[in-house]
Amino acid sequence: MHCAYFERGTCRSCGWLADPYADQLQRKMARCQSALTGLGGVWLPIVPSPESAFRNKAKMVVCGDASSPCLGILDAHSDGIDLSSCPLYPTAITDAFEPLKQMIRRLGIPPYDVKKRQGELKYLLITVSEDDDSLMVRLVLRSDIWIERLRADLSKMTADLPHLAVLSVNIQPVHQAILEGEQEVILTDRETLTVHLNGLPFHLRPKSFFQTNTRVAEQLYATARSWVAEVAPAHMWDLFCGVGGFALHCADVIPGHVTGIEISAEAIASAQQSALELGLKNVSFYALGANEFIDQAVSLPQMPALVVVNPPRRGLGVGLCAFLDESVVQTVIYSSCNPESLARDLAMMPGFELVKAQVFDLFPHT
């Protein structure tokens, strides 16, 4: 991938960009194999990504001033670096940057100045559906004083950005490196962005987690489905299920029930909407923390033979590992974004043996 920002030294977020992509894949494979040394198992070939335009989401810091906004990142001195032509993003996202800058100029919304601790607009978050290039745009603001002006400007913004499907404002009032706050106000009639993976609909709400690499995510979920089909369990749990990626993909190969657990009520609402649209009668989703669910599940009359887990970077932790290791669960499919926490968790589940592993490169060049 060619990147003028990297060549000029303006942005080094893609720290491995100077390395041939084949070498990057070998390094990632080696790192994961090293982390899991001694656990056995068969390593399947790494799943590569497109090298450019693979991100379905942009998280842009807003800097500069209202008359000349900058969308990108902060440098070491907290000054803005504009990355409006970043090749990680597909055309539908990069084409949206200028109309959004025009909106900032038109309304005079002052970008937040980290050094002075003043201003309003902190981040611009854009998600694209590759189905039809429709967009979900979120403005992270320090206060709610701009909401009505943004609402009044919506028709103009929609005319300038015809692919806009969902527009929302997130309020993040504190001076901390926190991407978003608790309050979210949706300004459009539509509240969800629909994205299809392997033909299945996922209805994303503004605060829903979703894999940022659509093409590799499709292969991740399809692979999990094939592994579940090989085991052929009667029932399945999907812990840390998000918007239901694993559960929805596996529902048609489970003769019994699939239960999805996720702490985010917004994500669960999205998963339930997808299950309803697909007419799935054997899938249930609940807004619970995984450990809270496990505490309740101890009394359930029937435990599943297979559990899928997709925890955050910190991993499953001692309690959940102990529960799985001592339970009647026969198979765990573990989707990990951190090989070190994965290795720690597997070491705490000695009752299981590693059968096979595969690396999916969701984040090229880093």
Side-chain angles (χ1 to χ4, degrees):
M1 181 182 80
H2 173 263
C3 177
Y5 301 114
F6 186 88
E7 289 186 354
R8 293 195 300 265
T10 303
C11 174
R12 291 298 171 123
S13 299
C14 296
W16 289 7
L17 188 56
D19 301 333
Y21 187 50
D23 292 349
Q24 295 181 32
L25 295 176
Q26 289 180 357
R27 289 170 65 186
K28 292 185 181 186
M29 187 77 165
R31 178 190 170 192
C32 293
Q33 289 176 323
S34 176
L36 274 59
T37 296
L39 294 177
V42 174
W43 284 85
L44 302 176
I46 191 169
V47 175
S49 166
E51 292 186 46
S52 62
F54 57 84
R55 286 189 64 93
N56 58 34
K57 186 172 186 178
K59 301 178 181 180
M60 311 297 277
V61 178
V62 185
C63 306
D65 54 55
S67 63
S68 183
C70 164
L71 306 180
I73 59 173
L74 296 178
D75 64 15
H77 306 289
S78 295
D79 294 318
I81 298 174
D82 194 275
L83 299 179
S84 297
S85 299
C86 175
L88 297 182
Y89 304 122
T91 301
I93 288 182
T94 55
D95 284 352
F97 290 143
E98 184 54 37
L100 290 168
K101 287 181 180 180
Q102 291 174 6
M103 178 271 295
I104 295 169
R105 290 191 289 264
R106 184 167 62 247
L107 296 182
I109 306 176
Y112 185 71
D113 189 313
V114 173
K115 290 183 287 187
K116 295 179 179 179
R117 298 194 176 196
Q118 64 185 31
E120 282 290 325
L121 183 54
K122 295 184 172 184
Y123 299 100
L124 194 61
L125 311 178
I126 308 173
T127 303
V128 64
S129 170
E130 296 178 32
D131 299 348
D132 56 5
D133 289 341
S134 58
L135 301 170
M136 177 162 60
V137 176
R138 302 174 65 202
L139 285 73
V140 181
L141 291 159
R142 191 170 67 159
S143 72
D144 60 5
I145 63 174
W146 290 89
I147 289 178
E148 292 310 313
R149 276 172 275 190
L150 284 162
R151 200 188 303 275
D153 188 67
L154 185 57
S155 59
K156 172 60 177 171
M157 189 172 171
T158 304
D160 292 344
L161 196 58
H163 288 295
L164 179 65
V166 181
L167 176 67
S168 72
V169 171
N170 180 274
I171 307 301
Q172 202 287 76
V174 298
H175 180 76
Q176 293 179 9
I178 300 173
L179 185 63
E180 61 185 35
E182 291 296 322
Q183 183 182 358
E184 191 90 24
V185 180
I186 299 178
L187 304 182
T188 47
D189 292 335
R190 279 186 59 178
E191 297 185 358
T192 63
L193 181 74
T194 302
V195 178
H196 283 80
L197 296 180
N198 299 312
L200 301 180
F202 293 88
H203 303 286
L204 309 185
R205 287 169 167 78
K207 299 177 77 172
S208 296
F209 169 79
F210 193 68
Q211 299 287 359
T212 59
N213 189 323
T214 304
R215 299 284 77 81
V216 179
E218 285 188 315
Q219 296 181 74
L220 172 71
Y221 292 127
T223 298
R225 181 187 180 279
S226 69
W227 290 5
V228 169
E230 289 174 17
V231 177
H235 306 284
M236 174 185 132
W237 288 350
D238 180 7
L239 305 184
F240 309 94
C241 70
V243 295
F246 290 108
L248 295 170
H249 273 85
C250 297
D252 68 339
V253 296
I254 301 290
H257 205 79
V258 178
T259 302
I261 302 298
E262 165 63 45
I263 197 168
S264 168
E266 187 170 87
I268 288 298
S270 296
Q272 291 170 334
Q273 183 178 349
S274 296
L276 181 65
E277 183 174 328
L278 290 166
L280 298 174
K281 304 298 184 182
N282 67 327
V283 182
S284 300
F285 293 101
Y286 302 98
L288 292 168
N291 285 297
E292 181 184 4
F293 170 72
I294 290 302
D295 290 341
Q296 299 177 14
V298 172
S299 61
L300 291 179
Q302 190 169 29
M303 294 281 290
L306 183 145
V307 174
V308 176
V309 296
N310 184 28
R313 289 190 60 81
R314 64 178 180 273
L316 297 176
V318 176
L320 194 47
C321 286
F323 172 84
L324 291 170
D325 197 54
E326 296 165 6
S327 73
V328 298
V329 173
Q330 297 297 304
T331 303
V332 173
I333 295 180
Y334 192 135
S335 174
S336 169
C337 57
N338 183 351
E340 283 72 33
S341 62
L342 170 64
R344 288 196 303 269
D345 286 348
L346 296 185
M348 289 190 287
M349 296 190 290
F352 292 92
E353 62 175 313
L354 182 63
V355 177
K356 55 186 171 184
Q358 190 164 26
V359 178
F360 294 80
D361 189 24
L362 286 147
F363 297 95
H365 317 306
T366 181

